[in-house]
Amino acid sequence: MARIAVIGAGMGALATAARLAVVGHRVAVYERTETYGGAVRRFERDGFGFDTGPGILPLPAVYRDLFVKTGKEPLEACVELVQVDPSSRQVFADGTEVSLPNASRAGVVSALDAGLGPGAGQRWGDFLVRAREAWDRTRRPLLEEPQWPNWSVLAEREPYPAVPHKRLLRTRRAGTLAEVGAWELRDPRLAALLEGHALAYGLDPRTAPASAAVLPYMEHAFGTWYVRGGIRELARAVYERCLARRVEFVFGAEVARVLEKDGRATGVELSGGEVVEADFVVAPGSAPGLPVRGEAEVAPQRGLPSRLTVLLALSGGRPEGTVHRTVVHTQDREGELESLFGAAPGVPERPTVTVLRPDDPALVPDDGHEAVTLSAVVPAGAEIREEHVEALVSAAERAVPGLRERVLWRAVRTPADIARETGAAGGSVPAPALAAAGGRLLHPANSTSLQGLFTAGGWSHPGGGLPHAGMSGALVAGLVVEGPEFRGSQ
């Protein structure tokens, strides 16, 4: 039985702690804030409740597996999972709208044909077939296995089977997500639908590799889900599973550094000077003071944007038939992308905005009120002003007429809030690992050059997002228990 010190109580850390504790290790978690969950938090006021981090759960199988492997009660016995259907409502720049069924290829094809014109659905359906190929080629190495020693293979090869595009006597294949949209989907609205999946993770579709096609495919294949009471309930359930497995939590305990001796991690030192001895240490990939990685290793992701979130407490109940998630696409694509990813990043004047309107009595004081969350991508470290907040509300009004008249109060969550709660520089939000692009969208391996030190969470392999963070816990647990020969679940 080993002593294991886990730095931070984010979702990846919680998943790691539960899996290690269930096999008999003594696990203690040291969290610098006063609560668990990392970015998965809740804001409450006057009977209203809001998720301040992710509002949708993709790929719930990751957490189902966690609960199966760590106890007798399955995930569904600890939280109520609800399939979100329609998966989303899309409001495009020209005012066209379409609602997309959840996890139904035939339904999505029909909806796109009806909303965007004949042939649109078929082009999207054909794209999903190609996206599945990319998913099948990268699912294990980028989600279910520790990082390959020869990871450069994933960096150099584009797994998306792009369709040949002929122009001016030249034949080319799409290398970026934007080129996939322009050359294969051939409709600015379908292109916006595609690019929106990358933008939601803070990726520039003009430079994101074509392999980012796996992002919409994951949503299509595995559906979108909501946890009744808010996604924070998932964090609570994982935390309680850790407690049931006798994981010790020390809140308000900031780790100053990882201790080492003779090339091996031997514990941690807290900011107050207290030394905690351990046989293994698990740290977030973004933690300061980790061993410097060599040139042959994957470099940590840098320069990813953050999020601006506006929480709205509304008078009047949620209208019947309201869609849970609406994406209001920008009316100035180039302006938005240049603001976010240009030489001088700034907050877009006309952003793409996601509107979440969950049908959840637990989040409102009564059925005469509604809790609505607006979010948009903004540069990390951005200083948020009133006009930025107003821009989100104005965009949301394209999908929710009369929104302003219903607002009782609002609360704003900025990149500074994310930075304070997660420790990520500027409030950056990590993206899932993606193949190609020279490896710049891969994440550092869970093992490090310091024996006995591992990393888990969104800033290490396999990257950001709830399912990927959960999988990092499974990978780290496997590496600790089975050693470097561990190759993932079969």
Side-chain angles (χ1 to χ4, degrees), residues 306-320:
S306 185
R307 304 285 186 274
L308 169 61
T309 304
V310 181
L311 314 175
L312 300 177
L314 304 185
S315 62
R318 181 179 186 270
E320 185 176 353

Side-chain angles (χ1 to χ4, degrees), residues 122-205:
Q122 186 62 51
R123 290 196 298 278
W124 184 259
D126 291 344
F127 157 75
L128 287 176
V129 171
R130 296 188 291 275
R132 177 178 178 174
E133 290 190 43
W135 168 256
D136 289 341
R137 293 169 180 171
T138 60
R139 174 178 59 88
R140 286 197 62 81
L142 289 187
L143 183 63
E144 299 175 353
E145 297 178 346
Q147 190 176 95
W148 290 355
N150 59 336
W151 58 267
S152 59
V153 173
L154 294 169
E156 296 164 358
R157 295 180 183 176
E158 172 56 74
Y160 177 78
V163 175
H165 172 72
K166 292 185 178 180
R167 185 177 182 184
L168 299 178
L169 302 180
R170 294 179 59 194
T171 299
R172 297 183 291 178
R173 294 180 182 271
T176 67
L177 205 64
E179 290 173 343
V180 172
W183 300 353
E184 299 180 12
L185 298 178
R186 305 189 306 280
D187 183 313
R189 296 164 298 183
L190 289 179
L193 173 60
L194 172 63
E195 293 180 0
H197 286 83
L199 188 62
Y201 284 104
L203 300 176
D204 183 351

Side-chain angles (χ1 to χ4, degrees), residues 139-332:
R139 174 178 59 88
R140 286 197 62 81
L142 289 187
L143 183 63
E144 299 175 353
E145 297 178 346
Q147 190 176 95
W148 290 355
N150 59 336
W151 58 267
S152 59
V153 173
L154 294 169
E156 296 164 358
R157 295 180 183 176
E158 172 56 74
Y160 177 78
V163 175
H165 172 72
K166 292 185 178 180
R167 185 177 182 184
L168 299 178
L169 302 180
R170 294 179 59 194
T171 299
R172 297 183 291 178
R173 294 180 182 271
T176 67
L177 205 64
E179 290 173 343
V180 172
W183 300 353
E184 299 180 12
L185 298 178
R186 305 189 306 280
D187 183 313
R189 296 164 298 183
L190 289 179
L193 173 60
L194 172 63
E195 293 180 0
H197 286 83
L199 188 62
Y201 284 104
L203 300 176
D204 183 351
R206 302 170 302 180
T207 59
S211 67
V214 300
L215 300 177
Y217 175 77
M218 285 174 57
E219 182 172 306
H220 161 77
F222 306 109
T224 52
W225 299 77
Y226 174 70
V227 179
R228 188 73 68 190
I231 300 298
R232 174 67 175 178
E233 286 298 291
L234 176 65
R236 175 199 56 77
V238 179
Y239 170 68
E240 291 181 354
R241 177 55 53 91
C242 287
L243 294 178
R245 300 281 76 82
R246 301 183 183 277
V247 174
E248 177 188 359
F249 284 85
V250 184
F251 294 106
E254 183 172 8
V255 173
R257 65 188 180 104
V258 175
L259 303 176
E260 61 176 288
K261 182 179 181 181
D262 299 329
R264 181 177 180 85
T266 59
V268 299
E269 180 181 337
L270 304 184
S271 58
E274 179 184 353
V275 170
V276 179
E277 295 182 350
D279 301 297
F280 297 94
V281 176
V282 180
S286 59
L290 293 181
V292 177
R293 298 179 184 273
E295 292 182 1
E297 297 179 278
V298 174
Q301 286 190 6
R302 292 287 185 266
L304 288 175
S306 185
R307 304 285 186 274
L308 169 61
T309 304
V310 181
L311 314 175
L312 300 177
L314 304 185
S315 62
R318 181 179 186 270
E320 185 176 353
T322 296
V323 175
H324 185 118
R325 177 179 55 160
T326 298
V327 179
V328 183
H329 294 274
T330 180
Q331 295 175 310
D332 181 11

Side-chain angles (χ1 to χ4, degrees), residues 192 242 371 403 410:
C242 287
L403 176 63
R410 70 188 187 193

Side-chain angles (χ1 to χ4, degrees), residues 284-456:
S286 59
L290 293 181
V292 177
R293 298 179 184 273
E295 292 182 1
E297 297 179 278
V298 174
Q301 286 190 6
R302 292 287 185 266
L304 288 175
S306 185
R307 304 285 186 274
L308 169 61
T309 304
V310 181
L311 314 175
L312 300 177
L314 304 185
S315 62
R318 181 179 186 270
E320 185 176 353
T322 296
V323 175
H324 185 118
R325 177 179 55 160
T326 298
V327 179
V328 183
H329 294 274
T330 180
Q331 295 175 310
D332 181 11
R333 172 187 179 272
E334 291 303 322
E336 178 180 40
L337 297 182
E338 189 59 29
S339 291
L340 290 172
F341 307 108
V347 178
E349 294 182 2
R350 306 173 82 180
T352 294
V353 175
T354 298
V355 183
L356 296 180
R357 306 177 71 183
D359 182 10
D360 191 343
L363 303 183
V364 291
D366 53 54
D367 59 9
H369 297 84
E370 185 179 6
V372 173
T373 301
L374 315 180
S375 63
V377 177
V378 298
E383 181 181 350
I384 301 302
R385 300 190 297 271
E386 178 65 19
E387 60 261 34
H388 301 144
V389 176
E390 286 297 312
L392 265 68
V393 177
S394 295
E397 282 192 305
R398 292 169 51 202
V400 189
L403 176 63
R404 291 179 188 275
E405 288 72 25
R406 296 178 57 195
V407 175
L408 297 172
W409 54 262
R410 70 188 187 193
V412 178
R413 306 284 297 178
T414 70
D417 295 314
I418 298 175
R420 183 177 63 255
E421 294 172 354
T422 68
S428 292
V429 179
L434 295 173
R440 62 181 175 83
L441 292 177
L442 297 177
H443 287 269
N446 306 105
S447 55
T448 72
S449 57
L450 182 63
Q451 189 177 1
L453 173 64
F454 299 88
T455 65

